[in-house]
Amino acid sequence: MLGAGGGGDTYTGLLMALRAVGEHGPVAVAPLDQIAPDAVVMACGLVGSPAVADERLWSGDEGAVLADAIAELRGAAVDAVMCFQIGGANGLLPVTWAARLGLPLVDADGMGRAFPGLRHQAMRVAGIPASPVVLTDGRGDTVVVRAADDTAAERLALRATASFGGVCAGAVYCMTGAEARRAAIGGSVSRAVQLGGDDGVAGREPLFEGRVVDMDRDSSGAAVRGSATLAGAAGDSGRQLRLELQDEFLLAIEDGAVRAAVPDAICVLGAESGEPVSTEALGYGDRVTVVAWPAPAVWRSPAGLAIAGPRAFGYDVDYEPIAVEVADARR
Amino acid sequence: MLGAGGGGDTYTGLLMALRAVGEHGPVAVAPLDQIAPDAVVMACGLVGSPAVADERLWSGDEGAVLADAIAELRGAAVDAVMCFQIGGANGLLPVTWAARLGLPLVDADGMGRAFPGLRHQAMRVAGIPASPVVLTDGRGDTVVVRAADDTAAERLALRATASFGGVCAGAVYCMTGAEARRAAIGGSVSRAVQLGGDDGVAGREPLFEGRVVDMDRDSSGAAVRGSATLAGAAGDSGRQLRLELQDEFLLAIEDGAVRAAVPDAICVLGAESGEPVSTEALGYGDRVTVVAWPAPAVWRSPAGLAIAGPRAFGYDVDYEPIAVEVADARR
């Protein structure tokens, strides 16, 4: 749900997490306030193309390679694992790594959803440096990037990712427990579990229900880009909703007015399955329900919107917050 | 001279070295047998495109960034600096770094000449791992590559180099003094100084003297490739020599017979200036003298020829060693 149409497929990641938990026992999910201030928190996940990631199997040992490198760089062992992105596959792979390492998983993440870039991290807004970025290909090869400037760190890390074949495992914005309490988005794992449960979407007013009547999508570049037009379901057939997408669904526009906008999470669900549909999988004629979740407060701040608002993605519209319909524990 | 037509221009490197020596005092050149067995030897130089390197100025502080990173990775400070390539600019930049660091320069290198790749290192033949490879852009940003396999290390390092704009400063195949004595090519700095002196080429029989009558050169790819045809000078005008080139001059062929072949160093000198002419600068009509130097023993071994013989560069000819005309102290 928090993939917002992106973040990569969860199927393989879920199988891996279930297997790791079966072999190594359950993973403790620790709230931020239970993480010691001087603990070393390893924020981690897959870096690169979700499309390539879907076709790549992992040994599960990447977390140990990353943790060893972080421990060497910091001179202190990793105490807890954190997803840097809760949406999509990256909400699951760190579960596998935590299980195999015997470490707790912090109930937090760096995005509160899926975003395309390493720059879309709440830790960046809080001034935590991205460096050192540790990357591994899953065969034990590592690349460590250190740059004073996060933009340079991201550029160098993405080149290294390309040299690893387009996707790799990475640790970035690693920090202390005290820094995580200040900078990370709390409650993300609990929230993903809650949204994925039977009552996840229940009681939430959909943004739109209808059918895809036009798709304009280009998957040839580094990112999926385009738009989808939905026509309202029976009884509502005069309405049209346009979804703008770039890996994730970023804007929902009806009659020229913004109904929902990034950084709020826009999620398209199959009308019958109730399962999220990715920007890549959405097709002409699909009957869908569009829902949206409010972004964590960090993204609604001016500094957050500068990184993750509609204009940061090239849309000439202002951010219009959706109503916060449910009590939201996230910062 | 040992650039063999490649290795990058020495002009800027020489100015930088002279300035660093002027500011910090002369650099001690230490023979391999004066390096303590447990010393940390940092083999270093520029990685990437010599053409880009020629257009790039360096702060001179890159050596300190590399040495700091190596010290952190090895848990021991760098004791001596070594050129990984004595030919071209890379025979000079480590002089600047040694002067600024106040460290001795080992009288040795990893190539004994210029070669295009990080793989063309005597340390590789001796089984010293290339990793960790430390790269810096000269602004303090670093990338550290660790791979069990040197081929992967080179691939990852070259991608990082591309992300640094095509050229960067690097330390690779770092080792102990004991390893350097076993693996590095001794006497390289002394030899470069001797060849560059007034008596450098004196008494050496030229391979050929003549004029360029045909140039077929493609500089559009990552490497310069092509061939040059020379016609003999007056009194010898019936003779023709063909030089095959890829960044460096790699083959000299006369009447279908190999006169000199890589890994022996083939050097083209301006007939009047006596200065080496690079594969990029050689032009139609140029009057030149071709000389050659025997390769160090490590490159003449089967393992060395597998990396640096004519077939390693795609030529379907066997290596024909040139006669060793002068006493050669190199291994």
Side-chain angles (χ1 to χ4, degrees):
Chain A
M1 298 281 187
L2 294 172
D9 192 52
T10 55
Y11 180 75
T12 311
L14 182 58
L15 290 184
M16 285 183 67
L18 289 171
R19 175 170 172 173
V21 167
E23 287 178 354
H24 300 275
V27 171
V29 177
L32 275 171
D33 59 14
Q34 284 179 22
I35 304 294
D38 61 349
V40 175
V41 177
M42 179 172 83
C44 53
L46 295 183
V47 178
S49 160
V52 178
D54 290 352
E55 299 181 357
R56 169 89 159 79
L57 290 177
W58 301 87
S59 73
D61 206 36
E62 304 79 25
V65 172
L66 296 175
D68 285 351
I70 293 289
E72 188 181 341
L73 288 163
R74 294 187 77 104
V78 170
D79 297 301
V81 171
M82 186 183 107
C83 302
F84 61 57
Q85 170 182 300
I86 192 67
N90 271 341
L92 287 160
L93 209 46
V95 177
T96 297
W97 298 339
R100 293 172 64 113
L101 289 164
L103 292 175
L105 183 72
V106 185
D107 189 6
D109 83 318
M111 295 185 173
R113 48 167 291 166
F115 273 129
L118 286 179
R119 68 193 168 281
H120 296 118
Q121 291 281 337
M123 286 79 87
R124 180 164 188 170
V125 180
I128 311 280
S131 295
V133 183
V134 182
L135 304 169
T136 179
D137 58 1
R139 289 179 298 204
D141 297 342
T142 62
V143 168
V144 177
V145 170
R146 275 201 259 203
D149 169 354
D150 281 6
T151 306
E154 182 171 19
R155 180 172 50 80
L156 296 169
L158 291 184
R159 285 288 195 132
T161 300
S163 68
F164 279 140
V167 69
C168 60
V172 61
Y173 293 99
C174 286
M175 56 199 158
T176 65
E179 289 172 324
R181 289 188 201 184
R182 171 168 68 83
I185 295 171
S188 301
V189 176
S190 310
R191 185 163 180 82
V193 170
Q194 181 248 322
L195 283 172
D198 289 340
D199 303 331
V201 192
R204 185 174 294 273
E205 182 69 27
L207 211 61
F208 199 86
E209 291 177 295
R211 199 165 44 82
V212 179
V213 295
D214 193 33
M215 278 301 306
D216 173 17
R217 180 176 48 203
D218 179 4
S219 308
S220 62
V224 179
R225 282 168 184 273
S227 64
T229 306
L230 315 185
D236 228 3
S237 56
R239 291 175 60 194
Q240 279 209 333
L241 187 79
R242 194 174 85 247
L243 296 171
E244 293 290 337
L245 59 94
Q246 292 180 33
D247 288 336
E248 284 81 36
F249 296 108
L250 299 181
L251 286 180
I253 294 174
E254 185 171 2
D255 289 333
V258 172
R259 293 283 315 277
V262 71
D264 292 341
I266 300 167
C267 184
V268 175
L269 305 171
E272 284 175 18
S273 70
E275 297 276 329
V277 182
S278 73
T279 52
E280 277 193 286
L282 188 65
Y284 180 83
D286 287 356
R287 291 201 306 115
V288 297
T289 300
V290 181
V291 292
W293 284 277
V298 58
W299 295 129
R300 292 181 164 204
S301 72
L305 289 172
I307 295 174
R311 294 187 193 279
F313 290 93
Y315 301 110
D316 191 21
V317 299
D318 288 321
Y319 169 63
E320 294 287 340
I322 59 167
V324 180
E325 297 166 6
V326 291
D328 194 300
R330 294 182 298 173
R331 47 183 298 282
Chain B
M1 298 281 186
L2 294 172
D9 192 53
T10 55
Y11 179 75
T12 311
L14 183 58
L15 290 184
M16 286 184 67
L18 289 170
R19 175 169 172 175
V21 167
E23 287 178 356
H24 301 274
V27 171
V29 177
L32 275 173
D33 59 14
Q34 284 178 20
I35 304 295
D38 61 350
V40 174
V41 176
M42 180 172 82
C44 52
L46 295 182
V47 179
S49 159
V52 178
D54 289 353
E55 298 181 0
R56 169 89 160 78
L57 289 177
W58 300 87
S59 73
D61 206 35
E62 304 79 24
V65 173
L66 297 175
D68 284 350
I70 292 289
E72 188 182 342
L73 288 164
R74 297 186 74 106
V78 170
D79 298 300
V81 171
M82 185 182 107
C83 303
F84 61 55
Q85 170 183 301
I86 192 66
N90 271 340
L92 286 161
L93 209 46
V95 176
T96 296
W97 299 339
R100 292 172 66 112
L101 288 164
L103 292 176
L105 182 73
V106 184
D107 189 6
D109 83 319
M111 295 184 172
R113 49 167 289 165
F115 273 130
L118 287 179
R119 67 192 169 282
H120 297 119
Q121 291 282 339
M123 286 78 88
R124 180 164 188 171
V125 180
I128 311 281
S131 295
V133 182
V134 181
L135 304 169
T136 180
D137 58 1
R139 290 181 297 204
D141 297 341
T142 62
V143 169
V144 177
V145 170
R146 275 203 260 203
D149 169 353
D150 280 7
T151 306
E154 182 170 19
R155 180 172 50 79
L156 296 168
L158 291 184
R159 284 290 195 130
T161 301
S163 68
F164 279 140
V167 70
C168 59
V172 61
Y173 292 99
C174 288
M175 56 199 158
T176 64
E179 287 171 326
R181 290 188 200 182
R182 172 168 67 82
I185 295 171
S188 301
V189 176
S190 308
R191 184 165 181 82
V193 170
Q194 180 248 322
L195 283 173
D198 289 339
D199 303 332
V201 191
R204 186 174 293 272
E205 182 70 27
L207 212 60
F208 200 85
E209 291 177 295
R211 199 165 44 80
V212 179
V213 294
D214 193 35
M215 277 299 307
D216 172 18
R217 180 176 47 202
D218 178 6
S219 308
S220 62
V224 180
R225 281 167 185 274
S227 64
T229 306
L230 315 185
D236 227 3
S237 57
R239 290 175 63 195
Q240 279 209 335
L241 187 78
R242 194 174 86 246
L243 296 172
E244 294 290 338
L245 58 95
Q246 293 179 32
D247 288 333
E248 283 81 35
F249 296 108
L250 299 180
L251 286 181
I253 294 174
E254 185 171 1
D255 290 333
V258 172
R259 292 284 315 277
V262 68
D264 291 341
I266 300 167
C267 184
V268 175
L269 304 171
E272 283 174 18
S273 70
E275 297 277 329
V277 183
S278 73
T279 53
E280 278 193 284
L282 189 65
Y284 181 83
D286 287 355
R287 291 199 305 114
V288 297
T289 300
V290 182
V291 291
W293 285 276
V298 58
W299 294 129
R300 293 182 164 204
S301 72
L305 288 172
I307 295 175
R311 293 186 192 280
F313 289 93
Y315 301 111
D316 192 21
V317 299
D318 288 320
Y319 170 63
E320 295 286 339
I322 60 167
V324 180
E325 295 166 7
V326 291
D328 194 299
R330 294 181 296 170
R331 45 184 298 284

